[in-house]
DNA sequence: ATGGCCGAGATCCTCGGA
C-alpha cells in the first residue's frame, strides 16, 4: 500500500500536475495540504475519473486538507481538536489494513512566522493541543500514522543553511521540541529511519531560485508509531513534480507499506 | 552584495506562505 503526502499549494491551480502525479505513481492514498478552497469548489470529478474518492476539509483561500483514496475510507473526521483560529488543518480516517486498521492523520501545521507574534503563539498552542490529543488517542489505538506539512525543520541537516533559520518559526528550539515530544510518545520519523544522514528536502521556496540552487528544507513528514514500523518497507521523496511547469513549492513524499 | 515567487479574492493590491 502506497501512501503519499503533498502540500499542493491550491488543489485547483495544481490539478493537472496532481493528475499527472497520480497516473505516474498510482498511490493508494494521497494526503493533500493547502488545498486553498472550500468543498463546493473542490474538483471532485477530476479525482473521480481517476477512481479516487475524495474526503475534504476545506476553507476559502487558505489552508484546507483533503484525503483521496482508491478504496472508500471509514470514520473520516475533521474535529481532531478545536482550532483556535477556526482553520481547516487536520483530517483523520481509519485505514483497513491486514484484518486490522490504523489511524491516519493528515495535518497542515501553522507556519508561525514571524516569531514573537500571535502567529507564533498560535503555532505553539496548536502543537500543544495536538500532542495532548495524540497522547489520548494512543490509549485507544497504538497504530497511528501522522503525516503532512509539519512546518518543522527537525535538525540542522534538514535545511540548506540552518544558520539562516535560527530565528525562524520552522526551526526554533521550542518548535523542534514540540516535534520531539511527538517522537518521544513512540513515533519514528520515517525519512530518518531509512536514511541516517542523507540530505534531501521536500520544500523549495519559489523566491530566490530556491529549486535551482537546491536551497530547500525537509518539513513534510511521516511519523509512524512503533507497532506499525515493521510494516513500512520503504520511503521516497519524489522530486519529479517540483521540477514541472507550474509546480507546488512542495514535492510529494511517499511510503510503502507491506 | 542585492534581490529575485505564487495563489486567492470582497482582484489590478493585499495577505499569507516558509
Amino acid at each position: 500500500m502506497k501512501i503519499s503526502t503533498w502540500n499542493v499549494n491550491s488543489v485547483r491551480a495544481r490539478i493537472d500536475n496532481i493528475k499527472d502525479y497520480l497516473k505516474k505513481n498510482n498511490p493508494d492514498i494521497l494526503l493533500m495540504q493547502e488545498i486553498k478552497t472550500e468543498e463546493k469548489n473542490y474538483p471532485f470529478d477530476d479525482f473521480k475519473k481517476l477512481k479516487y474518492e475524495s474526503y475534504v476539509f476545506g476553507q476559502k483561500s487558505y489552508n484546507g486538507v483533503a484525503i483521496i483514496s482508491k478504496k472508500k475510507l471509514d470514520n473520516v473526521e475533521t474535529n481532531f481538536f478545536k482550532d483556535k483560529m477556526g482553520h481547516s488543518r487536520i483530517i483523520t480516517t481509519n485505514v483497513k489494513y491486514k484484518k486490522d486498521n490504523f489511524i491516519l492523520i493528515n495535518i497542515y501545521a501553522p507556519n508561525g512566522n514571524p516569531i514573537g507574534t500571535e502567529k507564533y503563539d498560535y503555532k505553539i498552542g496548536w502543537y500543544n493541543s495536538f500532542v495532548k490529543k495524540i497522547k489520548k488517542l494512543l490509549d485507544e489505538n497504538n497504530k497511528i500514522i501522522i503525516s503532512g506539512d509539519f512546518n518543522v525543520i527537525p535538525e540542522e541537516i534538514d535545511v540548506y543553511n540552518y544558520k539562516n533559520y535560527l530565528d525562524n518559526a520552522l526551526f526554533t528550539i521550542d518548535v523542534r521540541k514540540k516535534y520531539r515530544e511527538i517522537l518521544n510518545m513512540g513515533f519514528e520519523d520515517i525519512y530518518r529511519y531509512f536514511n541516517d544522514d542523507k540530505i534531501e528536502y521536500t520544500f523549495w521556496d519559489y523566491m530566490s531560485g530556491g529549486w535551482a540552487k537546491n536551497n530547500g528544507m525537509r518539513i513534510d513528514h511521516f511519523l509512524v508509531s512503533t507497532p506499525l514500523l515493521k510494516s513500512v518497507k520503504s520511503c521516497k521523496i519524489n522530486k519529479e513534480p517540483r521540477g514541472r511547469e507550474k509546480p507546488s513549492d512542495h514535492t510529494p513524499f511517499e511510503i510503502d507499506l507491506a
Side-chain angles (χ1 to χ4, degrees):
Chain A
M1 177 189 288
K2 186 192 274 190
I3 305 177
S4 182
T5 181
W6 191 7
N7 180 323
V8 295
N9 186 19
S10 170
V11 69
R12 287 181 289 165
R14 212 66 58 213
I15 190 66
D16 291 341
N17 219 319
I18 300 169
K19 282 156 74 175
D20 183 73
Y21 170 76
L22 294 173
K23 287 175 197 163
K24 282 183 184 154
N25 297 280
N26 204 30
D28 296 284
I29 296 176
L30 171 63
L31 310 173
M32 292 186 282
Q33 304 87 34
E34 278 205 274
I35 61 170
K36 291 188 170 177
T37 183
E38 295 171 288
E39 195 165 335
K40 65 178 180 188
N41 294 319
Y42 177 93
F44 285 95
D45 291 345
D46 290 88
F47 294 121
K48 194 81 196 171
K49 279 178 195 146
L50 296 178
K51 308 269 190 262
Y52 284 93
E53 198 71 34
S54 290
Y55 304 88
V56 181
F57 186 29
Q59 181 184 334
K60 190 185 267 192
S61 296
Y62 306 117
N63 313 311
V65 286
I67 304 176
I68 65 173
S69 173
K70 286 190 195 164
K71 288 189 180 155
K72 289 212 162 119
L73 295 170
D74 295 327
N75 302 316
V76 176
E77 287 174 13
T78 59
N79 58 346
F80 198 63
F81 60 82
K82 187 171 164 49
D83 190 294
K84 288 195 170 67
M85 301 290 283
H87 293 173
S88 303
R89 295 185 177 275
I90 304 179
I91 184 168
T92 64
T93 185
N94 261 323
V95 179
K96 290 200 187 76
Y97 177 68
K98 291 183 172 177
K99 301 176 199 163
D100 201 2
N101 67 86
F102 61 83
I103 299 169
L104 182 60
I105 301 170
N106 177 19
I107 71 168
Y108 172 51
N111 174 301
N113 276 308
I115 62 172
T117 65
E118 65 285 345
K119 289 187 183 182
Y120 186 74
D121 296 340
Y122 165 60
K123 181 176 193 172
I124 296 292
W126 189 93
Y127 265 113
N128 284 339
S129 302
F130 188 75
V131 167
K132 199 184 288 181
K133 178 72 190 198
I134 293 291
K135 202 167 281 177
K136 202 188 292 177
L137 203 55
L138 279 167
D139 293 336
E140 305 161 18
N141 188 335
N142 57 15
K143 293 197 168 97
I144 300 177
I145 296 179
I146 309 166
S147 177
D149 179 354
F150 286 65
N151 269 317
V152 177
I153 301 163
E155 302 292 341
E156 292 175 359
I157 62 165
D158 295 313
V159 61
Y160 68 100
N161 183 353
Y162 74 90
K163 287 179 181 165
N164 292 354
Y165 288 86
L166 294 171
D167 293 324
N168 187 291
L170 279 64
F171 194 59
T172 60
I173 294 295
D174 286 339
V175 162
R176 291 162 65 196
K177 267 187 187 163
K178 294 296 152 199
Y179 187 76
R180 288 226 70 89
E181 274 183 45
I182 304 172
L183 298 182
N184 289 343
M185 287 187 284
F187 290 85
E188 285 284 340
D189 175 340
I190 276 296
Y191 182 79
R192 278 290 158 242
Y193 184 72
F194 286 106
N195 304 282
D196 278 352
D197 47 16
K198 194 172 175 184
I199 293 177
E200 281 190 289
Y201 307 129
T202 62
F203 167 90
W204 299 259
D205 205 314
Y206 291 125
M207 277 188 281
S208 314
W211 171 248
K213 296 176 191 166
N214 197 29
N215 286 349
M217 53 183 80
R218 193 173 70 85
I219 54 177
D220 300 273
H221 308 298
F222 271 100
L223 304 191
V224 177
S225 68
T226 316
L228 263 177
L229 264 184
K230 58 183 185 301
S231 304
V232 185
K233 282 194 299 188
S234 65
C235 70
K236 176 188 171 186
I237 295 173
N238 187 340
K239 284 172 70 172
E240 192 268 338
R242 184 63 180 80
R244 278 177 54 105
E245 290 295 304
K246 214 169 146 42
S248 166
D249 39 9
H250 297 248
T251 213
F253 179 28
E254 305 155 355
I255 62 169
D256 233 319
L257 298 181

